[in-house]
Amino acid sequence: MKVTQAYRFALDPAPSQERALRSHAGAARFAWNWGLAKCKERYEAEGKWYGATDLHKLWNAQKKADPGLAWWEQNSKCAYQEAFRDLDRALRDFIKSRKGQRKGHKLGFPKFKKRGRCRDSFRFSTGTMRCAGTTVTLPRLGTIRTHESTRKLARRLETGSARILSATVSRTAQRWFVSFTVEVERNAPEPHARPGSAIGIDLGVTTLLTGVDDTGTIITAPGPRPLRASLRKLRRASRAHSRKTPGSANRRKHAARLARIHARVSHLRADALHKATTTLAARYQTVVAEDLNVAGMVRNRRMARAISDQGFGAARRMLGYKTGWHGGQLILADRFYPSSKTCSACGTAKAKLALSERVFTCESCGLVLDRDQNAARNLLSLAASGAERLNACGAAVRPGPAGHAALNQEPGTAPAGKTGTADGQPAAAGSENSYAH
Ligand SMILES: [Zn+2]
């Protein structure tokens, strides 16, 4: 079974290599802006724009004709070509979004990129790409030291169970990273080691996650201490930054500091989520979680930070493919299923439950329970009904108490009450960082 996975490594480039990295990122930015200008020009005249292949042809003609562009040779031709592809994709996504064919928030028309105001990034899709020990080798850039060992990927490359499809180099705060998109040969999942085991999990705002399993055991992941400490630091740095005069050198200094802390927080968060979801997928055959409308929730400004911090979307994605790897399944309760507002003892649903109410109190049966535990219990009960059905009959069944079945299910996931084949193709999204825990 082939799956696409990403491996990401922090780089420790020599000064000359760092200059080459910046030059390539500049080339990609230039190509994007050049292509966008061409597309706009043509759109005004003919009502359509250029595709990636046409842009590449135009660019090849112009770079030879225009002596002002002679510097192009200092960078790999991939940097330009991939930027045209990105632009092509952005234009298509814009159209899809406008027609309502794309999930998530509305996309605007692609914008020109400004140095220092955009993400420094470029990509290789051909040429020598490999890794060994604490080095990676990339076209034109040669061998660059990495911050940590690359053995997870190197071992797979050696045995031939992985193939690098592309390498994206990008800068976050002051650090450069390479992310390899890799096609990995994985064994078809064996049946789950603990058949019949199930857990309902509530992804929390204050704790990373709270779960209740089929034996009634409560599992909580509070999030690692360094993450919580970094979050406090982030709040302070963010306040300090906003007090500085816009445009001042002091503000720029604080912005760089803020960006460094942000990068650390997101790394720690991803790491914690990877650990927690790996354990869950290995231990439980069926994991039930809520299908949260993350895009909708992030619009709520007060909760925005907390939610993006905990990375709900990322957690759901990880659970989707990891349960698949272990021969299990992820069941997503519909986003309208009131898991928090329903009493897990008697089933009475409250009309309203403020987020600040951390304890669930049932007016009908008198149950008093931690809010997250109550939600996890409700989700677990969905697992029981969903899992039984799944074993009893192989065909699709009517959605259960969760109501509407979730749309656009991801590989390795099954909406509550529907038959799910966890052995779909649990492919990690190309942009996602796999730490392969
Ligand atoms: Zn009750």
Side-chain angles (χ1 to χ4, degrees), residues 58-378:
L58 280 174
W59 168 250
N60 279 344
Q62 189 158 345
K63 77 186 181 192
K64 280 171 202 149
D66 185 349
L69 295 176
W71 51 263
W72 77 268
E73 277 187 305
Q74 290 162 18
N75 307 300
S76 159
K77 64 181 191 306
C78 258
Y80 308 94
Q81 205 169 335
E82 293 296 318
F84 296 144
R85 285 190 184 150
D86 286 345
L87 177 61
D88 192 332
R89 198 173 311 124
L91 287 165
R92 279 171 209 270
D93 283 347
F94 164 70
I95 290 293
K96 271 195 209 151
S97 177
R98 211 174 53 176
K99 287 184 183 163
Q101 295 165 349
R102 195 177 180 280
K103 271 205 294 184
H105 60 94
K106 284 271 174 222
L107 288 180
F109 193 79
K111 289 194 175 78
F112 288 104
K113 295 189 175 185
K114 245 174 130 175
R115 192 173 134 199
R117 284 293 173 88
C118 69
R119 190 174 157 78
D120 277 344
S121 150
F122 57 96
R123 189 168 55 241
F124 297 107
S125 56
T126 54
T128 312
M129 297 179 274
R130 36 166 210 262
C131 63
T134 53
T135 63
V136 295
T137 305
L138 296 169
R140 283 306 283 269
L141 298 164
T143 299
I144 305 176
R145 290 190 67 85
T146 54
H147 202 60
E148 69 241 280
S149 163
T150 65
R151 71 174 180 282
K152 281 175 204 159
L153 176 56
R155 210 186 294 138
R156 279 195 174 277
L157 293 174
E158 260 170 45
T159 59
S161 66
R163 190 167 66 91
I164 294 175
L165 302 175
S166 67
T168 304
V169 182
S170 64
R171 189 171 63 87
T172 302
Q174 286 311 308
R175 187 165 275 289
W176 289 90
F177 292 89
V178 62
S179 179
F180 291 107
T181 302
V182 180
E183 189 182 70
V184 177
E185 186 64 49
R186 275 189 177 266
N187 298 332
E190 306 265 318
H192 199 273
R194 294 180 60 222
S197 56
I199 187 167
I201 60 159
D202 182 69
L203 295 162
V205 173
T206 46
T207 49
L208 205 58
L209 61 89
T210 305
V212 175
D213 75 5
D214 50 326
T215 64
T217 309
I218 295 150
I219 281 133
T220 53
R225 198 186 295 265
L227 175 59
R228 283 175 286 160
S230 291
L231 277 170
R232 278 195 297 276
K233 225 188 225 176
L234 184 64
R235 272 195 294 278
R236 274 202 304 274
S238 164
R239 275 199 299 270
H241 167 248
S242 65
R243 280 196 299 263
K244 305 295 174 273
T245 319
S248 67
N250 203 11
R251 176 128 173 157
R252 268 200 303 284
K253 200 176 82 191
H254 276 81
R257 183 163 168 263
L258 190 59
R260 268 198 312 279
I261 304 174
H262 254 296
R264 181 166 158 77
V265 164
S266 82
H267 175 81
L268 287 168
R269 182 178 63 211
D271 204 53
L273 281 173
H274 267 294
K275 284 185 178 132
T277 52
T278 297
T279 311
L280 286 175
R283 227 187 265 171
Y284 300 100
Q285 183 186 26
T286 305
V287 179
V288 194
E290 250 172 317
D291 185 11
L292 289 163
N293 177 7
V294 176
M297 288 180 90
V298 172
R299 233 173 278 138
N300 174 346
R301 282 186 61 225
R302 258 191 323 155
M303 270 188 75
R305 214 220 42 170
I307 286 171
S308 24
D309 279 345
Q310 302 290 0
F312 284 179
R316 210 192 57 177
R317 233 173 12 252
M318 291 172 190
L319 283 169
Y321 62 80
K322 288 183 188 177
T323 48
W325 289 347
H326 285 88
Q329 63 170 344
L330 171 67
I331 293 181
L332 293 176
D334 182 81
R335 70 179 58 144
F336 301 110
Y337 174 65
S339 66
S340 303
K341 291 184 215 154
T342 308
C343 172
S344 59
C346 70
T348 310
K350 282 178 191 267
K352 251 185 129 173
L353 181 70
L355 253 179
S356 55
E357 285 181 54
R358 301 310 308 163
V359 175
F360 182 92
T361 315
C362 179
E363 274 123 44
S364 302
C365 72
L367 175 83
V368 179
L369 192 63
D370 172 78
R371 176 203 179 93
D372 298 340
Q373 280 181 35
N374 181 59
R377 266 177 216 278
N378 283 323

Side-chain angles (χ1 to χ4, degrees), residues 378-418:
N378 283 323
L379 290 165
L380 176 67
S381 67
L382 287 183
S385 58
E388 269 165 33
R389 266 164 229 239
L390 195 73
N391 294 339
C393 49
V397 283
R398 291 278 315 137
H404 328 262
L407 297 169
N408 298 319
Q409 71 183 92
E410 281 166 30
T413 69
K418 262 197 143 188

